[in-house]
Amino acid sequence: MTADRFVSPDHIRSLFSQAMSHMYRTEVPLYGTLVELVAEVNAKVLAAQPALAEQMQRSGERERLDVERHGAIRVGTAQELATLRRLFAVMGMYPVGYYDLSVAGVPVHSTAFRPVDGESLNRNPFRVFTSLLRLELIEDDALRAQAAEILSRRTIFTAGVLQLIEQCERDGGLGEDDAWRFVVEALETFRWHNEATVSLETYRALLGAHRLVADVVSFRGPHINHLTPRTLDIDAAQVQMQARGLAAKAVIEGPPRRQCPILLRQTSFKALEEMVHFPSGADNQAGTHTARFGEIEQRGLALTPKGRALYDALLADARGGAGSTGDDYMQRLQAAFAGFPDDHDRLRREGLGYYRYALTEAGRALPPAGRDLPAEVLIERGLATADPIIYEDFLPVSAAGIFQSNLGGDEQRAYAARANRAAFEQALGAPVSDEFAIYERLQAESLAQLAS
Ligand code: OOG
Ligand code: NI
């Protein structure tokens, strides 16, 4: 078989993210409202800020914006996580980053499956935040054993998708028809089921251990729990959410509003309370479960390790001991971040963020020898531009805030357990990539092109 008989993984990912968006719109109609609202806000921002529109056009970001989404799922076993890794690889999505949520009282650790090269990201940057339950954090021995036993009995993948994953690994790709079949079969894993696999009594016991344990263990599969569109102005979108009666969280997670957006800002609305049938002998018992919610996000400049260290320090200052609560939190945050440069020339020259360099028309008109100058000199002379490289990942403190506010209860607990990246990678069956190395490479590639 030759490679051109295969469709590209980017194409499969685009199909899949569209199919997922369609499914979620049907399952959670409020998601449709959110997508419309974000599209309106984005159109306004682009109309009001021609320079931003031009920059996004130049970097290829403009086109991806309308389809840009991230989702999240939670799985229960190493086997499930490892198979997901193979499933996402069919679509050109690879595990990047390790997130430990146990410190925030959520018994999971996570990674994000996403595309990693520039072209694939522009084609469709679909990402899935994927968490693995840490059963060892359930204190009650009997309940832990019961949860493990329930999880060991389920299969979250269809036979069809498993066969297509194997075929893709063996042949090196999928043809058009198989790609479609793959999308249809893979979607089943992410579907919501309003029938639990456990009795109401077991569900309640799991809920007692942690709401997340109940969410992972009680169902046939890892239902997608939110799908997030990207907005260019999260403050405006937040106001719109509230105007349309969506109970958005009071606080926007992440950095404060700035001239030059950095990293990631997110807000969400509460999980829906949904009817669930719990098997009870020959009968069903009715109950409810809260798992799924809505979220929007604004993405900005990817920070270097130096920039990230500064971000972490300022965020810790703003949060103090209290976390992201209190009426004055947004003011505290704004005040703390006065210490973070807020213009792109400074951010770049101080090595706080990653940039994509490109020649301007005047730059391209010169022979290579004539532009063999440091990038900063080229920029000063109008021969090159530097556009921010967008942050494609997540933030652990923000993710913890999103988890907490959407679990549907007020419980706060802390686990003594620490990060255990080695155990996560062992379950995954592969190492997770370092996000900084990916941004560094994108920047280096663009610099190399200036001289060629
Ligand atoms: C994932 C929460 C984290 C984000 O955007 O930080 C997340 C979950 O609730 O499963 O989606
Ligand atoms: Ni999210």
Side-chain angles (χ1 to χ4, degrees), residues 70 226 228 266 295:
H70 88 248
H226 63 290
T228 300
Q266 302 175 300
E295 182 192 48

mmCIF file with all atom_site columns, all heavy atoms in Angstrom, residues 70 226 228 266 295, ligand 2:
data_model
loop_
_atom_site.group_PDB
_atom_site.id
_atom_site.type_symbol
_atom_site.label_atom_id
_atom_site.label_alt_id
_atom_site.label_comp_id
_atom_site.label_asym_id
_atom_site.label_entity_id
_atom_site.label_seq_id
_atom_site.pdbx_PDB_ins_code
_atom_site.Cartn_x
_atom_site.Cartn_y
_atom_site.Cartn_z
_atom_site.occupancy
_atom_site.B_iso_or_equiv
_atom_site.pdbx_formal_charge
_atom_site.auth_seq_id
_atom_site.auth_comp_id
_atom_site.auth_asym_id
_atom_site.auth_atom_id
_atom_site.pdbx_PDB_model_num
ATOM   1  N  N   . HIS A 1 70  ? -11.600 22.310 22.809 1.00 0.00 ? 70  HIS A N   1
ATOM   2  C  CA  . HIS A 1 70  ? -10.991 21.228 23.591 1.00 0.00 ? 70  HIS A CA  1
ATOM   3  C  C   . HIS A 1 70  ? -12.094 20.522 24.369 1.00 0.00 ? 70  HIS A C   1
ATOM   4  O  O   . HIS A 1 70  ? -13.125 21.114 24.683 1.00 0.00 ? 70  HIS A O   1
ATOM   5  C  CB  . HIS A 1 70  ? -9.860  21.717 24.500 1.00 0.00 ? 70  HIS A CB  1
ATOM   6  C  CG  . HIS A 1 70  ? -10.296 22.190 25.863 1.00 0.00 ? 70  HIS A CG  1
ATOM   7  N  ND1 . HIS A 1 70  ? -10.212 23.501 26.251 1.00 0.00 ? 70  HIS A ND1 1
ATOM   8  C  CD2 . HIS A 1 70  ? -10.797 21.523 26.935 1.00 0.00 ? 70  HIS A CD2 1
ATOM   9  C  CE1 . HIS A 1 70  ? -10.664 23.623 27.487 1.00 0.00 ? 70  HIS A CE1 1
ATOM   10 N  NE2 . HIS A 1 70  ? -11.029 22.442 27.937 1.00 0.00 ? 70  HIS A NE2 1
ATOM   11 N  N   . HIS A 1 226 ? -17.152 18.161 28.699 1.00 0.00 ? 226 HIS A N   1
ATOM   12 C  CA  . HIS A 1 226 ? -17.386 19.503 28.145 1.00 0.00 ? 226 HIS A CA  1
ATOM   13 C  C   . HIS A 1 226 ? -16.628 19.639 26.839 1.00 0.00 ? 226 HIS A C   1
ATOM   14 O  O   . HIS A 1 226 ? -15.706 18.863 26.563 1.00 0.00 ? 226 HIS A O   1
ATOM   15 C  CB  . HIS A 1 226 ? -16.990 20.613 29.112 1.00 0.00 ? 226 HIS A CB  1
ATOM   16 C  CG  . HIS A 1 226 ? -15.524 20.669 29.466 1.00 0.00 ? 226 HIS A CG  1
ATOM   17 N  ND1 . HIS A 1 226 ? -14.903 19.729 30.251 1.00 0.00 ? 226 HIS A ND1 1
ATOM   18 C  CD2 . HIS A 1 226 ? -14.551 21.557 29.133 1.00 0.00 ? 226 HIS A CD2 1
ATOM   19 C  CE1 . HIS A 1 226 ? -13.623 20.058 30.403 1.00 0.00 ? 226 HIS A CE1 1
ATOM   20 N  NE2 . HIS A 1 226 ? -13.382 21.151 29.729 1.00 0.00 ? 226 HIS A NE2 1
ATOM   21 N  N   . THR A 1 228 ? -15.072 22.926 24.629 1.00 0.00 ? 228 THR A N   1
ATOM   22 C  CA  . THR A 1 228 ? -14.839 24.344 24.869 1.00 0.00 ? 228 THR A CA  1
ATOM   23 C  C   . THR A 1 228 ? -14.432 25.099 23.626 1.00 0.00 ? 228 THR A C   1
ATOM   24 O  O   . THR A 1 228 ? -13.402 24.785 23.029 1.00 0.00 ? 228 THR A O   1
ATOM   25 C  CB  . THR A 1 228 ? -13.728 24.467 25.944 1.00 0.00 ? 228 THR A CB  1
ATOM   26 O  OG1 . THR A 1 228 ? -14.188 23.815 27.122 1.00 0.00 ? 228 THR A OG1 1
ATOM   27 C  CG2 . THR A 1 228 ? -13.383 25.909 26.244 1.00 0.00 ? 228 THR A CG2 1
ATOM   28 N  N   . GLN A 1 266 ? -9.966  30.908 31.475 1.00 0.00 ? 266 GLN A N   1
ATOM   29 C  CA  . GLN A 1 266 ? -11.122 30.026 31.299 1.00 0.00 ? 266 GLN A CA  1
ATOM   30 C  C   . GLN A 1 266 ? -12.238 30.339 32.277 1.00 0.00 ? 266 GLN A C   1
ATOM   31 O  O   . GLN A 1 266 ? -11.996 30.724 33.416 1.00 0.00 ? 266 GLN A O   1
ATOM   32 C  CB  . GLN A 1 266 ? -10.718 28.568 31.554 1.00 0.00 ? 266 GLN A CB  1
ATOM   33 C  CG  . GLN A 1 266 ? -9.607  28.080 30.662 1.00 0.00 ? 266 GLN A CG  1
ATOM   34 C  CD  . GLN A 1 266 ? -9.158  26.683 31.037 1.00 0.00 ? 266 GLN A CD  1
ATOM   35 O  OE1 . GLN A 1 266 ? -8.711  26.469 32.155 1.00 0.00 ? 266 GLN A OE1 1
ATOM   36 N  NE2 . GLN A 1 266 ? -9.282  25.753 30.127 1.00 0.00 ? 266 GLN A NE2 1
ATOM   37 N  N   . GLU A 1 295 ? -17.881 25.429 29.062 1.00 0.00 ? 295 GLU A N   1
ATOM   38 C  CA  . GLU A 1 295 ? -16.679 26.200 29.373 1.00 0.00 ? 295 GLU A CA  1
ATOM   39 C  C   . GLU A 1 295 ? -16.274 26.992 28.131 1.00 0.00 ? 295 GLU A C   1
ATOM   40 O  O   . GLU A 1 295 ? -16.506 26.548 27.010 1.00 0.00 ? 295 GLU A O   1
ATOM   41 C  CB  . GLU A 1 295 ? -15.554 25.221 29.765 1.00 0.00 ? 295 GLU A CB  1
ATOM   42 C  CG  . GLU A 1 295 ? -14.250 25.881 30.154 1.00 0.00 ? 295 GLU A CG  1
ATOM   43 C  CD  . GLU A 1 295 ? -13.095 24.867 30.253 1.00 0.00 ? 295 GLU A CD  1
ATOM   44 O  OE1 . GLU A 1 295 ? -12.936 24.060 29.315 1.00 0.00 ? 295 GLU A OE1 1
ATOM   45 O  OE2 . GLU A 1 295 ? -12.365 24.917 31.230 1.00 0.00 ? 295 GLU A OE2 1
HETATM 46 NI NI  . NI  B 2 .   ? -11.715 22.394 29.933 1.00 0.00 ? 2   NI  B NI  1
#
